[in-house]
Amino acid sequence: MNATQELMRRHTSVRKFLPDAISDEQLQHWIQAGQQASTSSFIQATSVIRVRNPTTRCQLAELAGQQEYVASAPLLLVFCADLLRASTLAEQQLSQPLPQGYIEHLLIATVDTALFAQNVMLAAESEQYGGVFIGGIRNAPQQVAELLALPSLVYPVFAMCLGKPDQAPSLRPRLPTDLVLMEERYQPLQPEDPRLHQYDAEVRQYYRERSGGKKDMSWSEQMAQLLGKEARPHMLAFLHNQGFALR
Ligand SMILES: Cc1cc2nc3c(=O)[nH]c(=O)nc-3n(C[C@H](O)[C@H](O)[C@H](O)COP(=O)(O)O)c2cc1C
């Protein structure tokens, strides 16, 4: 396996950081790596906001569900899906209002932003930094949008904490590849599939070891807990309010 793939396969989220600062130059390099990610129709629908103000950081940590590292990580970036930039220029070119609010545009901008951010994470990891995505900011997207002065056609997809790791978490086991990689046709998972049972046992063991026996949960149980409850039902109204997903 080559060094790039080894790096990718070593990924674990990092939530505890040493205080070492990240230079402007490093940040520029990581963002440039993000910018070079594929982008749907060349739309480049991502803006990244670095938040340094300690008060704003604390507010974001609170809004994200009291995730302390959002306040304390050496670097906090908020990744925004941004259709405003391209729309402003298009409107100027066409000298007329644009047809807006297509859910396709929401998908494009969100996918672009995720690809951009993953490149940033990987660039940081390639320099022995680590980090974690923070979807928790979507607990309170309206307040986040106000804190960051986000206009219409821009929404915060997630944040990312980055810094030198002060922990070395073990790899979180992923599903068996042959349950994920399918040939020719979709192959629905059979709940009684022994590969799934084995994976459930592996995840349970991972949690037991990581938590010193306190957390005892299989992947299936975790999915039941996650998908058995509401998922940020405020997002639809918020996205509408920002001019997304109207048709
Ligand atoms: C879009 C997205 C949002 C996430 N949000 C959070 C978050 O708010 N807080 C957190 O601690 N981890 C968050 N994570 C990290 C995941 O929990 C983590 O990637 C997953 O459990 C797999 O663990 P690993 O990254 O260590 O392999 C998020 C990951 C993604 C991709």
Side-chain angles (χ1 to χ4, degrees):
M1 203 186 308
N2 66 38
T4 307
Q5 290 184 37
E6 275 173 19
L7 174 71
M8 289 166 159
R9 292 173 64 156
R10 272 201 311 273
H11 163 81
T12 59
S13 292
V14 171
R15 300 176 176 85
K16 198 160 179 268
F17 302 96
L18 296 168
D20 309 34
I22 289 154
S23 71
D24 285 354
E25 196 188 2
Q26 275 172 307
L27 176 60
Q28 286 276 324
H29 289 161
W30 298 350
I31 295 297
Q32 282 159 3
Q35 285 186 271
Q36 205 58 36
S38 294
T39 161
S40 187
S41 304
F42 200 26
I43 189 170
Q44 306 185 72
T46 303
S47 292
V48 185
I49 302 177
R50 168 167 47 166
V51 183
R52 286 189 279 193
N53 181 308
T55 310
T56 315
R57 293 276 298 261
C58 285
Q59 286 169 307
L60 289 173
E62 192 66 26
L63 292 171
Q66 287 158 343
Q67 300 199 55
E68 187 279 324
Y69 30 91
V70 172
S72 63
L75 180 63
L76 182 77
L77 302 174
V78 179
F79 286 83
C80 298
D82 182 355
L83 289 175
L84 180 61
R85 187 169 38 225
S87 301
T88 304
L89 297 175
E91 210 160 60
Q92 204 176 42
Q93 291 272 326
L94 296 168
S95 307
Q96 64 181 47
L98 304 173
Q100 280 182 347
Y102 290 105
I103 200 147
E104 174 65 5
H105 288 159
L106 170 69
L107 293 174
I108 284 172
T110 306
V111 170
D112 262 29
T113 301
L115 297 177
F116 186 127
Q118 177 57 26
N119 265 14
V120 170
M121 174 73 83
L122 208 51
E125 288 174 340
S126 75
E127 295 178 27
Q128 288 76 52
Y129 288 80
V132 61
F133 284 78
I134 304 292
I137 60 164
R138 295 195 310 276
N139 289 347
Q142 193 59 51
Q143 289 95 316
V144 172
E146 282 161 22
L147 273 176
L148 305 179
L150 302 185
S152 187
L153 297 185
V154 179
Y155 94 94
V157 185
F158 42 69
M160 188 186 285
C161 300
L162 289 163
K164 278 268 184 223
D166 191 21
Q167 60 177 178
S170 47
L171 286 191
R172 196 179 283 230
R174 299 302 202 250
L175 283 163
T177 304
D178 56 4
L179 287 182
V180 175
L181 175 62
M182 303 175 184
E183 297 290 343
E184 311 299 344
R185 300 174 69 103
Y186 187 81
Q187 291 146 24
L189 176 71
Q190 307 301 327
E192 61 281 2
D193 190 320
R195 294 170 299 181
L196 177 66
H197 289 170
Q198 199 185 333
Y199 180 63
D200 269 339
E202 203 184 328
V203 170
R204 190 183 295 285
Q205 186 59 24
Y206 160 82
Y207 278 129
R208 278 188 188 147
E209 277 168 20
R210 195 176 107 152
S211 68
K214 277 190 232 131
K215 185 163 176 176
D216 188 323
M217 194 178 269
S218 69
W219 186 71
S220 301
E221 286 165 1
Q222 188 174 352
M223 292 307 101
Q225 200 179 69
L226 175 77
L227 299 176
K229 62 179 188 198
E230 284 190 327
R232 300 189 178 120
H234 53 263
M235 278 309 291
L236 187 60
F238 169 72
L239 288 170
H240 287 168
N241 201 37
Q242 293 300 107
F244 289 97
L246 302 171
R247 54 178 141 176

